Amino acid sequence: MTDDHNHFAAARAPLRIAAVIPCYNEALSIAQVVAQFRAALPEAEIHVFDNNSSDDTAAIARASGAFVTHVAAPGKGNVVRRMFADVEADVYVTVDGDATYDVASAPRLVDLLVERNLDMVVGCRVDDGQNALTYRAGHRFGNRMLTGAVAQLFGGGLTDMLSGYRVFSRRYAKSFPALSHGFEIETELTVHALELRMPYAEVDTTYSTRPEGSHSKLSTYRDGWRILKTICKLFVSERPLQFFSGAAGVLVLLSLILAEPLVSTYLNTGLVPRQPTAVLVTGMMLTAMLSFVCGVVLHTVTIGRREAKRLCYLGIPGVRSAAGRP
């Protein structure tokens, strides 16, 4: 063990660190993941949250020395909700139980969180190059597209929004409402940090092939569509003024296009020959006004919700304070 490792391990000593691992049918890999955490973060409590596995995941995790919690509601989002609610710690290291993430780099991510007093560190996936199917082209493209959409709508500079390897501070975990049900929870985790303007960082980590015989539960198109819907829902709820103002602008533009020949005919002849179109244009203009007003009202509501979440966040000490450091 190196002197640097000893130094940082001593700096982490006052902290309560929890490794929280969501699992669904990972009997082939969970023992390996638990053992890797034992080696990388011996001071951490290891919690496996079993999401109705039909194999021996829970029994193997328990035999490996992990605390096992059964989560009946299906979906990773439901598991994350239970993890943050049930586990008490200063630092939460979350990683999928499929042995694809580099658990050995966990101390580096935790140390960065403490040194910079951050609230989230994301393990950005870098393919180890051993298997072309490890990080498929469809998943890469979808990740870039969805991460780019979030960056455009909410800001931030994350490059791997869908990574399942993250380290969180206690004040992040205990202020996160966790509304999603499935794999779209990664999107919600990212947007929560961006909306509260939490300090975060990304660290490149190796992404490896699953153990032989293990199968991914992800569906490129189905889960991609669910994540895209989540982004749209979050945009409406977190940016209502932009959304409804945009809708109002589109309605006004369409109204002007439809109204142009009517106005031209009226100015030339004093007649309104297409009354149904005139009624439609009037209705669209009124709807545009109503949409804008809804945006203003919901914007005020959103500010109130964001302030409440921010106050909850500020009521919890940062990770550096928990470590007894200034």
Side-chain angles (χ1 to χ4, degrees), residues 79-287:
V79 176
V80 171
R81 187 178 301 110
R82 283 291 301 276
M83 291 192 317
F84 287 166
D86 292 359
V87 178
E88 297 296 327
D90 299 312
V91 175
Y92 298 77
V93 184
T94 178
V95 65
D96 295 338
D98 55 10
T100 56
Y101 291 97
D102 180 21
V103 174
S105 65
R108 184 159 51 101
L109 273 64
V110 173
D111 293 336
L112 180 63
L113 188 87
V114 177
E115 288 296 316
R116 297 189 186 176
N117 204 28
L118 304 175
D119 289 305
M120 181 176 73
V121 177
V122 180
C124 183
R125 292 170 289 181
V126 177
D127 194 340
D128 64 0
Q130 299 299 311
N131 189 329
L133 297 179
T134 298
Y135 197 8
R136 289 177 287 176
H139 288 179
R140 292 176 189 270
F141 173 76
N143 191 12
R144 285 197 299 269
M145 181 186 71
L146 295 170
T147 299
V150 167
Q152 288 294 319
L153 296 175
F154 300 99
L158 285 172
T159 59
D160 190 4
M161 178 191 73
L162 302 181
S163 173
Y165 190 12
R166 305 189 187 214
V167 179
F168 300 101
S169 67
R170 177 179 176 82
R171 62 183 178 183
Y172 181 104
K174 297 304 182 182
S175 67
F176 179 61
L179 302 176
S180 299
H181 297 282
F183 282 106
E184 63 271 22
I185 188 66
E186 314 291 0
T187 303
E188 193 180 353
L189 288 166
T190 299
V191 172
H192 179 65
L194 296 176
E195 283 301 280
L196 292 191
R197 300 179 187 176
M198 295 180 182
Y200 66 87
E202 270 189 327
V203 175
D204 286 347
T205 57
T206 304
Y207 189 64
S208 305
T209 306
R210 279 174 163 269
E212 187 175 353
S214 176
H215 302 286
S216 174
K217 285 77 179 176
L218 287 172
S219 171
T220 302
Y221 299 106
R222 182 194 63 199
D223 291 317
W225 173 244
R226 290 168 64 182
I227 292 168
L228 185 59
K229 288 195 298 182
T230 298
I231 293 173
C232 294
K233 290 178 182 177
L234 289 170
F235 181 58
V236 174
S237 64
E238 301 299 333
R239 295 285 194 275
L241 185 57
Q242 293 181 23
F243 176 80
F244 286 102
S245 295
V250 171
L251 288 171
V252 169
L253 179 61
L254 291 175
S255 299
L256 292 176
I257 294 173
L258 291 173
E260 191 276 331
L262 297 179
V263 173
S264 178
T265 301
Y266 177 77
L267 292 176
N268 291 330
T269 66
L271 300 174
V272 181
R274 291 179 288 179
Q275 292 187 0
T277 303
V279 172
L280 175 63
V281 168
T282 303
M284 291 175 67
M285 293 296 291
L286 291 174
T287 303

Side-chain angles (χ1 to χ4, degrees), residues 48-69:
V48 171
F49 285 77
D50 179 55
N51 196 200
N52 278 337
S53 294
S54 59
D55 61 11
D56 294 329
T57 296
I60 294 173
R62 194 174 289 110
S64 301
F67 298 100
V68 178
T69 301

